[in-house]
Amino acid sequence: MGFYSQVILPRFMDRTMSDSRLAQYRQEVLSEVSGEVLEIGFGTGLNLAHYPQTVRQLTAIDANPGMTKIAEKRLKNASIPVENKVINGEKLPIGDRSFDSVVSTWTLCSIAKVENALDEIYRVLKPGGKFCFIEHGLSEEPNVQVWQHRLTPLQKLVGDGCHLNRPIQNLVESKFHLVKLERFYAPNVPKTVGYMYKGVAVKKAQFDG
């Protein structure tokens, strides 16, 4: 990782992702979690203020040490126990069936091997455990999709691997049973980056290997 990825991008993301409209989405997603929780793509810790007290322990991971450096102040003031690790979500050094819930907020767009990350999420969830997420991704409008495909190569450069055109619903459903999903455009955001998927998926006990 270079200077841009570790210094400039974390500061930019912390500012842009602090928007109050996004805070509402965070709160809605995190209201679903409890017990032992894993958050992938922890970033600068903007979710911390929205975790309910029903969380016994949060394990927070992010591959970018620059993000973690900004998160340090929020971690010190956290109201729940947090273990923070700088690791990649594609291969987790965590035992099988360790968590009641896994959280991902605007993270699946930028993981290079996203299928591997979803496999890992599935592996570390307990049977019946929840995968709670909000992600931006491929729009349902063909004319918007055209621009998402065109702009994704540029977005990957400026957004440290971020894709505009990932079919989030299809990716999640390939691993989990989807029990709740909202798809919508975030207000006052360009359609190419603002098409949201907010939902809850579960790991079925009968399919747990």
Side-chain angles (χ1 to χ4, degrees):
M1 289 186 178
F3 180 80
Y4 174 78
S5 293
Q6 291 196 47
V7 179
I8 296 175
L9 183 67
R11 293 176 181 176
F12 174 76
M13 293 299 293
D14 188 60
R15 177 172 294 185
T16 58
M17 298 304 288
S18 296
D19 189 287
S20 60
R21 292 166 297 181
L22 302 184
Q24 178 185 344
Y25 302 147
R26 295 178 192 277
Q27 187 173 19
E28 291 168 357
V29 170
L30 297 173
S31 68
E32 299 275 355
V33 306
S34 61
E36 301 287 332
V37 179
L38 170 68
E39 181 179 341
I40 65 165
F42 183 64
T44 61
L46 290 170
N47 282 338
L48 273 177
H50 306 289
Y51 273 103
Q53 290 301 309
T54 51
V55 174
R56 291 193 302 272
Q57 171 77 35
L58 172 64
T59 301
I61 69 166
D62 200 286
N64 188 335
M67 296 284 188
T68 300
K69 186 174 182 180
I70 294 177
E72 287 176 355
K73 184 177 181 180
R74 294 186 177 107
L75 287 164
K76 289 178 182 177
N77 296 323
S79 61
I80 57 174
V82 183
E83 181 180 9
N84 186 226
K85 300 180 179 182
V86 181
I87 56 176
N88 192 303
E90 296 171 5
K91 189 171 177 60
L92 300 173
I94 296 170
D96 297 353
R97 309 172 190 175
S98 296
F99 297 100
D100 300 291
S101 306
V102 176
V103 170
S104 174
T105 59
W106 298 289
T107 297
L108 297 182
C109 61
S110 58
I111 298 176
K113 297 178 181 177
V114 66
E115 293 88 356
N116 290 10
L118 287 166
D119 283 339
E120 286 292 87
I121 292 168
Y122 187 93
R123 180 181 65 79
V124 301
L125 267 176
K126 297 176 182 178
K130 293 181 179 180
F131 175 40
C132 304
F133 61 91
I134 182 164
E135 303 287 345
H136 73 106
L138 189 67
S139 169
E140 61 185 350
E141 295 185 65
N143 60 323
V144 177
Q145 291 179 6
V146 169
W147 283 102
Q148 288 180 312
H149 294 315
R150 287 176 179 172
L151 293 173
T152 286
L154 176 61
Q155 178 71 7
K156 288 168 65 178
L157 290 175
V158 301
D160 201 25
C162 175
H163 294 67
L164 301 173
N165 58 353
R166 282 191 165 158
I168 299 299
Q169 181 175 350
N170 293 346
L171 288 167
V172 173
E173 285 185 319
S174 71
K175 310 292 181 183
F176 300 90
H177 174 59
L178 194 59
V179 296
K180 185 187 298 185
L181 180 68
E182 297 177 48
R183 293 170 53 154
F184 57 93
Y185 286 110
N188 304 315
V189 178
K191 285 187 172 183
T192 51
V193 298
Y195 191 71
M196 302 293 173
Y197 297 72
K198 178 164 69 75
V200 178
V202 296
K203 176 177 181 174
K204 285 189 174 181
Q206 60 264 42
F207 295 138
D208 177 48

